[in-house]
Amino acid sequence: MTDLSIIIVTYKGWSKLEKCLESVKSFSGSDFSFEVIIVDNSPDPGEIDPLKDKFPGFSYLHNPVNGGYANGTNLGSRKASGNFLLILNPDTVASAEAVSLLLKGARENGFTINSCRQVNSRGKESIMSGSFPEFRTLTGFMRAFSSRKKESGRRDILFPDWVSGSVILVSKDDFTRLNGFDEDFWMYYEDVDLCQRARDSGGKVAVFKDVIIEHNHGGSSRISTSVTSMTKTEVLISRHIYMCKHRKGLAGFLIQSFMVVNNLITNLITGIPGLLFFFVPKLFVRTLILGRLVSYYCGAAVKSTWVSPRSVNYRKYA
């Protein structure tokens, strides 16, 4: 059986994906066997053909519907034959040494979710882990005045609440046992939710401090003003979904109500200038986010669900 199945979900962003695949191709001859599965969420299956020609040894799956990151990863995992799954963003650049160390650490320690430090091409450290969301950390202003939860760990391994889905190593058995990513999430927070469920079931989430993988943010999610506004809105939507799943009763109701009011007021303030200066992309993005939010909240009230309309599960709830 293959040691490792590397799963990469992409939506256009071909130049960054090519760099990612170049790095993965260099794993040949390493001390672990591997396969590469690329799940293409873009609407035109032919756009990825040049990469298929350049990397013929990899497997390519065209997702007939852009069901988001969770849906694409789950699709790839069902085709995987490896004992472990390495879930990678297409804007990462990994080395065989880093992956080998990560795989070794996962095998020796038996942690459920495994990750590592992430830096961009300029060497700047990325935020790749954190504490589970709660009321006092819902906004940047609130986080500034709240004491940060100290992440436990040891010299070489950190044990945060969650790790970013940009780099996750998990055994296929554990991923299957946890039912994979929750496809209620179209994009964002599917990683936090997976870690929450892993922790709730008695598992551990670990970051290996001595392992580094390059991650250059903003690939597929920043290709146009429309896509940027869509993905930024999905961050807010996914936070609602997460809180609906993991914060129940009166506390859950108060959190959801606060987020609705805060999101609308904040984006109304930032969105109005975009109407006047629509020719400035950064300002107009805020206007588009406001419009998307209003549409989402109206739909959530009518359909009685926080699930994103982009989710493949939306019809099930609505």
Side-chain angles (χ1 to χ4, degrees):
M1 191 172 185
T2 307
D3 293 321
L4 187 66
S5 295
I6 301 169
I7 300 173
I8 303 167
V9 178
T10 186
Y11 179 86
K12 300 188 177 183
W14 308 120
S15 61
K16 288 191 174 182
L17 175 61
E18 183 174 0
K19 290 181 181 179
C20 178
L21 298 184
E22 285 282 7
S23 71
V24 171
K25 183 181 178 181
S26 70
F27 294 179
S28 299
S30 55
D31 58 359
F32 57 88
S33 58
F34 70 98
E35 65 178 355
V36 181
I37 301 171
I38 299 104
V39 181
D40 179 17
N41 276 347
S42 60
D44 183 358
E47 285 188 276
I48 202 172
D49 285 348
L51 292 182
K52 288 183 180 180
D53 295 336
K54 188 169 184 178
F55 305 99
F58 299 164
S59 298
Y60 297 84
L61 301 176
H62 180 254
N63 200 348
V65 57
N66 182 6
Y69 193 69
N71 172 255
T73 302
N74 289 347
L75 176 61
S77 73
R78 289 192 290 271
K79 301 293 185 180
S81 63
N83 288 314
F84 281 85
L85 308 178
L86 177 60
I87 301 166
L88 284 180
N89 267 18
D91 51 8
T92 57
V93 178
S95 68
E97 180 185 10
V99 173
S100 180
L101 288 172
L102 193 57
L103 188 58
K104 179 182 178 183
R107 284 170 168 164
E108 291 179 350
N109 293 279
F111 303 139
T112 308
I113 306 291
N114 306 268
S115 191
C116 63
R117 291 169 54 205
Q118 297 174 36
V119 300
N120 65 19
S121 58
R122 298 182 300 277
K124 183 179 179 181
E125 198 93 17
S126 300
I127 297 174
M128 47 57 188
S129 64
S131 302
F132 291 132
E134 52 185 305
F135 181 76
R136 65 190 179 89
T137 61
L138 287 178
T139 69
F141 180 80
M142 295 166 73
R143 286 191 293 274
F145 288 93
S146 65
S147 56
R148 186 177 179 183
K149 179 181 175 182
K150 188 175 181 181
E151 295 178 334
S152 60
R154 60 195 208 200
R155 187 197 64 80
D156 56 337
I157 303 175
L158 183 71
F159 299 109
D161 284 347
W162 60 266
V163 295
S164 168
S166 51
V167 179
I168 284 182
L169 180 71
V170 57
S171 75
K172 186 173 183 182
D173 286 345
D174 279 336
F175 195 71
T176 301
R177 175 179 59 83
L178 292 168
N179 295 316
F181 281 137
D182 185 343
E183 296 182 18
D184 282 0
F185 298 92
W186 184 75
M187 195 174 186
Y188 304 111
Y189 278 83
E190 66 285 313
D191 44 11
V192 182
D193 171 70
L194 180 71
C195 292
Q196 177 86 68
R197 289 184 281 122
R199 291 277 299 267
D200 289 348
S201 66
K204 279 193 173 183
V205 176
V207 172
F208 291 87
K209 297 180 184 179
D210 297 333
V211 181
I212 298 176
I213 285 178
E214 183 180 314
H215 181 204
N216 299 294
H217 293 273
S220 301
S221 62
R222 300 290 185 269
I223 59 178
S224 69
T225 301
S226 176
V227 172
T228 299
S229 67
M230 176 183 66
T231 55
K232 285 182 177 293
T233 305
E234 288 298 324
V235 174
L236 305 177
I237 292 174
S238 291
R239 190 178 297 162
H240 280 294
I241 302 168
Y242 175 85
M243 290 300 182
C244 180
K245 285 190 66 177
H246 300 290
R247 303 293 182 267
K248 303 296 184 181
L250 179 60
F253 173 78
L254 292 176
I255 288 173
Q256 297 283 31
S257 299
F258 173 82
M259 288 195 298
V260 171
V261 173
N262 179 73
N263 289 341
L264 287 175
I265 292 176
T266 301
N267 284 282
L268 183 63
I269 293 171
T270 58
I272 288 177
L275 289 174
L276 301 174
F277 302 98
F278 59 88
F279 48 86
V280 181
K282 286 187 177 180
L283 292 178
F284 191 56
V285 161
R286 309 308 305 185
T287 306
L288 293 177
I289 291 173
L290 176 62
R292 292 181 187 277
L293 265 181
V294 171
S295 175
Y296 166 69
Y297 286 139
C298 289
V302 172
K303 302 292 187 180
S304 298
T305 180
W306 293 109
V307 174
S308 170
R310 294 185 176 278
S311 164
V312 293
N313 289 342
Y314 183 68
R315 290 185 179 180
K316 179 175 71 176
Y317 291 102

